[in-house]
PDB file of all heavy atoms in Angstrom:
ATOM      1  N   HIS A1736      -1.157  18.507   7.447  1.00 97.00           N
ATOM      2  CA  HIS A1736       0.078  17.767   7.675  1.00 97.00           C
ATOM      3  C   HIS A1736       1.224  18.452   6.932  1.00 97.00           C
ATOM      4  O   HIS A1736       1.041  18.952   5.818  1.00 97.00           O
ATOM      5  CB  HIS A1736      -0.087  16.326   7.194  1.00 97.00           C
ATOM      6  CG  HIS A1736       1.014  15.419   7.630  1.00 97.00           C
ATOM      7  ND1 HIS A1736       2.254  15.412   7.070  1.00 97.00           N
ATOM      8  CD2 HIS A1736       1.032  14.441   8.596  1.00 97.00           C
ATOM      9  CE1 HIS A1736       3.029  14.504   7.644  1.00 97.00           C
ATOM     10  NE2 HIS A1736       2.292  13.890   8.565  1.00 97.00           N
ATOM     11  N   SER A1737       2.383  18.450   7.528  1.00 97.00           N
ATOM     12  CA  SER A1737       3.522  19.170   6.946  1.00 97.00           C
ATOM     13  C   SER A1737       3.849  18.685   5.540  1.00 97.00           C
ATOM     14  O   SER A1737       4.181  19.493   4.651  1.00 97.00           O
ATOM     15  CB  SER A1737       4.745  19.023   7.852  1.00 97.00           C
ATOM     16  OG  SER A1737       5.084  17.645   8.043  1.00 97.00           O
ATOM     17  N   LEU A1738       3.779  17.386   5.283  1.00 98.00           N
ATOM     18  CA  LEU A1738       4.100  16.868   3.960  1.00 98.00           C
ATOM     19  C   LEU A1738       3.102  17.327   2.913  1.00 98.00           C
ATOM     20  O   LEU A1738       3.466  17.565   1.745  1.00 98.00           O
ATOM     21  CB  LEU A1738       4.153  15.334   4.003  1.00 98.00           C
ATOM     22  CG  LEU A1738       5.384  14.738   4.703  1.00 98.00           C
ATOM     23  CD1 LEU A1738       5.189  13.239   4.928  1.00 98.00           C
ATOM     24  CD2 LEU A1738       6.655  15.005   3.924  1.00 98.00           C
ATOM     25  N   VAL A1739       1.848  17.444   3.289  1.00 97.00           N
ATOM     26  CA  VAL A1739       0.812  17.856   2.333  1.00 97.00           C
ATOM     27  C   VAL A1739       1.022  19.311   1.912  1.00 97.00           C
ATOM     28  O   VAL A1739       0.661  19.702   0.787  1.00 97.00           O
ATOM     29  CB  VAL A1739      -0.582  17.677   2.968  1.00 97.00           C
ATOM     30  CG1 VAL A1739      -1.678  18.161   2.024  1.00 97.00           C
ATOM     31  CG2 VAL A1739      -0.827  16.226   3.339  1.00 97.00           C
ATOM     32  N   GLN A1740       1.635  20.093   2.777  1.00 96.00           N
ATOM     33  CA  GLN A1740       1.812  21.520   2.496  1.00 96.00           C
ATOM     34  C   GLN A1740       2.921  21.793   1.479  1.00 96.00           C
ATOM     35  O   GLN A1740       3.025  22.905   0.958  1.00 96.00           O
ATOM     36  CB  GLN A1740       2.141  22.264   3.793  1.00 96.00           C
ATOM     37  CG  GLN A1740       1.077  22.115   4.882  1.00 96.00           C
ATOM     38  CD  GLN A1740      -0.278  22.601   4.452  1.00 96.00           C
ATOM     39  OE1 GLN A1740      -0.420  23.713   3.923  1.00 96.00           O
ATOM     40  NE2 GLN A1740      -1.294  21.773   4.654  1.00 96.00           N
ATOM     41  N   LEU A1741       3.738  20.805   1.184  1.00 97.00           N
ATOM     42  CA  LEU A1741       4.875  21.018   0.288  1.00 97.00           C
ATOM     43  C   LEU A1741       4.481  20.933  -1.181  1.00 97.00           C
ATOM     44  O   LEU A1741       3.757  20.036  -1.575  1.00 97.00           O
ATOM     45  CB  LEU A1741       5.959  19.969   0.587  1.00 97.00           C
ATOM     46  CG  LEU A1741       6.607  20.036   1.976  1.00 97.00           C
ATOM     47  CD1 LEU A1741       7.515  18.820   2.165  1.00 97.00           C
ATOM     48  CD2 LEU A1741       7.384  21.325   2.144  1.00 97.00           C
ATOM     49  N   ASP A1742       4.981  21.853  -1.987  1.00 94.00           N
ATOM     50  CA  ASP A1742       4.700  21.837  -3.426  1.00 94.00           C
ATOM     51  C   ASP A1742       5.386  20.676  -4.125  1.00 94.00           C
ATOM     52  O   ASP A1742       4.916  20.229  -5.183  1.00 94.00           O
ATOM     53  CB  ASP A1742       5.155  23.151  -4.064  1.00 94.00           C
ATOM     54  CG  ASP A1742       4.287  24.329  -3.681  1.00 94.00           C
ATOM     55  OD1 ASP A1742       3.104  24.098  -3.325  1.00 94.00           O
ATOM     56  OD2 ASP A1742       4.761  25.475  -3.740  1.00 94.00           O
ATOM     57  N   ASN A1743       6.489  20.200  -3.586  1.00 97.00           N
ATOM     58  CA  ASN A1743       7.254  19.135  -4.249  1.00 97.00           C
ATOM     59  C   ASN A1743       6.867  17.750  -3.743  1.00 97.00           C
ATOM     60  O   ASN A1743       7.652  16.812  -3.819  1.00 97.00           O
ATOM     61  CB  ASN A1743       8.758  19.354  -4.109  1.00 97.00           C
ATOM     62  CG  ASN A1743       9.235  19.440  -2.662  1.00 97.00           C
ATOM     63  OD1 ASN A1743       8.440  19.637  -1.766  1.00 97.00           O
ATOM     64  ND2 ASN A1743      10.542  19.310  -2.467  1.00 97.00           N
ATOM     65  N   THR A1744       5.660  17.630  -3.236  1.00 98.00           N
ATOM     66  CA  THR A1744       5.141  16.336  -2.769  1.00 98.00           C
ATOM     67  C   THR A1744       3.758  16.086  -3.360  1.00 98.00           C
ATOM     68  O   THR A1744       2.895  16.954  -3.303  1.00 98.00           O
ATOM     69  CB  THR A1744       5.047  16.302  -1.233  1.00 98.00           C
ATOM     70  OG1 THR A1744       6.312  16.611  -0.674  1.00 98.00           O
ATOM     71  CG2 THR A1744       4.646  14.910  -0.749  1.00 98.00           C
ATOM     72  N   VAL A1745       3.562  14.906  -3.913  1.00 98.00           N
ATOM     73  CA  VAL A1745       2.244  14.480  -4.409  1.00 98.00           C
ATOM     74  C   VAL A1745       1.700  13.481  -3.382  1.00 98.00           C
ATOM     75  O   VAL A1745       2.336  12.468  -3.087  1.00 98.00           O
ATOM     76  CB  VAL A1745       2.330  13.822  -5.797  1.00 98.00           C
ATOM     77  CG1 VAL A1745       0.971  13.278  -6.217  1.00 98.00           C
ATOM     78  CG2 VAL A1745       2.851  14.813  -6.813  1.00 98.00           C
ATOM     79  N   CYS A1746       0.528  13.760  -2.839  1.00 98.00           N
ATOM     80  CA  CYS A1746      -0.054  12.925  -1.796  1.00 98.00           C
ATOM     81  C   CYS A1746      -1.360  12.315  -2.285  1.00 98.00           C
ATOM     82  O   CYS A1746      -2.275  13.035  -2.725  1.00 98.00           O
ATOM     83  CB  CYS A1746      -0.319  13.745  -0.528  1.00 98.00           C
ATOM     84  SG  CYS A1746       1.182  14.377   0.240  1.00 98.00           S
ATOM     85  N   LEU A1747      -1.464  10.991  -2.189  1.00 98.00           N
ATOM     86  CA  LEU A1747      -2.683  10.259  -2.549  1.00 98.00           C
ATOM     87  C   LEU A1747      -3.241   9.565  -1.313  1.00 98.00           C
ATOM     88  O   LEU A1747      -2.496   9.215  -0.393  1.00 98.00           O
ATOM     89  CB  LEU A1747      -2.367   9.224  -3.630  1.00 98.00           C
ATOM     90  CG  LEU A1747      -1.705   9.712  -4.929  1.00 98.00           C
ATOM     91  CD1 LEU A1747      -1.480   8.547  -5.891  1.00 98.00           C
ATOM     92  CD2 LEU A1747      -2.559  10.785  -5.588  1.00 98.00           C
ATOM     93  N   PRO A1748      -4.556   9.289  -1.272  1.00 97.00           N
ATOM     94  CA  PRO A1748      -5.204   8.729  -0.090  1.00 97.00           C
ATOM     95  C   PRO A1748      -5.218   7.198  -0.081  1.00 97.00           C
ATOM     96  O   PRO A1748      -6.279   6.580   0.001  1.00 97.00           O
ATOM     97  CB  PRO A1748      -6.604   9.309  -0.152  1.00 97.00           C
ATOM     98  CG  PRO A1748      -6.875   9.437  -1.622  1.00 97.00           C
ATOM     99  CD  PRO A1748      -5.553   9.801  -2.247  1.00 97.00           C
ATOM    100  N   HIS A1749      -4.056   6.570  -0.139  1.00 96.00           N
ATOM    101  CA  HIS A1749      -3.901   5.116  -0.051  1.00 96.00           C
ATOM    102  C   HIS A1749      -4.850   4.407  -1.022  1.00 96.00           C
ATOM    103  O   HIS A1749      -5.724   3.618  -0.629  1.00 96.00           O
ATOM    104  CB  HIS A1749      -4.149   4.635   1.373  1.00 96.00           C
ATOM    105  CG  HIS A1749      -3.477   3.316   1.660  1.00 96.00           C
ATOM    106  ND1 HIS A1749      -3.030   2.965   2.912  1.00 96.00           N
ATOM    107  CD2 HIS A1749      -3.168   2.256   0.858  1.00 96.00           C
ATOM    108  CE1 HIS A1749      -2.498   1.751   2.884  1.00 96.00           C
ATOM    109  NE2 HIS A1749      -2.567   1.318   1.620  1.00 96.00           N
ATOM    110  N   ILE A1750      -4.608   4.629  -2.308  1.00 97.00           N
ATOM    111  CA  ILE A1750      -5.500   4.090  -3.338  1.00 97.00           C
ATOM    112  C   ILE A1750      -4.744   3.126  -4.272  1.00 97.00           C
ATOM    113  O   ILE A1750      -5.141   2.954  -5.432  1.00 97.00           O
ATOM    114  CB  ILE A1750      -6.166   5.211  -4.163  1.00 97.00           C
ATOM    115  CG1 ILE A1750      -5.119   6.149  -4.780  1.00 97.00           C
ATOM    116  CG2 ILE A1750      -7.139   5.982  -3.304  1.00 97.00           C
ATOM    117  CD1 ILE A1750      -5.691   7.163  -5.777  1.00 97.00           C
ATOM    118  N   GLY A1751      -3.676   2.513  -3.783  1.00 96.00           N
ATOM    119  CA  GLY A1751      -2.845   1.658  -4.620  1.00 96.00           C
ATOM    120  C   GLY A1751      -3.602   0.639  -5.447  1.00 96.00           C
ATOM    121  O   GLY A1751      -3.347   0.460  -6.625  1.00 96.00           O
ATOM    122  N   SER A1752      -4.540  -0.064  -4.849  1.00 96.00           N
ATOM    123  CA  SER A1752      -5.286  -1.094  -5.547  1.00 96.00           C
ATOM    124  C   SER A1752      -6.712  -0.687  -5.884  1.00 96.00           C
ATOM    125  O   SER A1752      -7.546  -1.531  -6.216  1.00 96.00           O
ATOM    126  CB  SER A1752      -5.312  -2.375  -4.703  1.00 96.00           C
ATOM    127  OG  SER A1752      -5.975  -2.146  -3.463  1.00 96.00           O
TER     128      SER A1752
END
Side-chain angles (χ1 to χ4, degrees):
H1736 192 285
S1737 58
L1738 288 168
V1739 178
Q1740 302 302 311
L1741 295 172
D1742 289 336
N1743 58 344
T1744 305
V1745 175
C1746 296
L1747 304 181
H1749 203 151
I1750 56 171
S1752 61

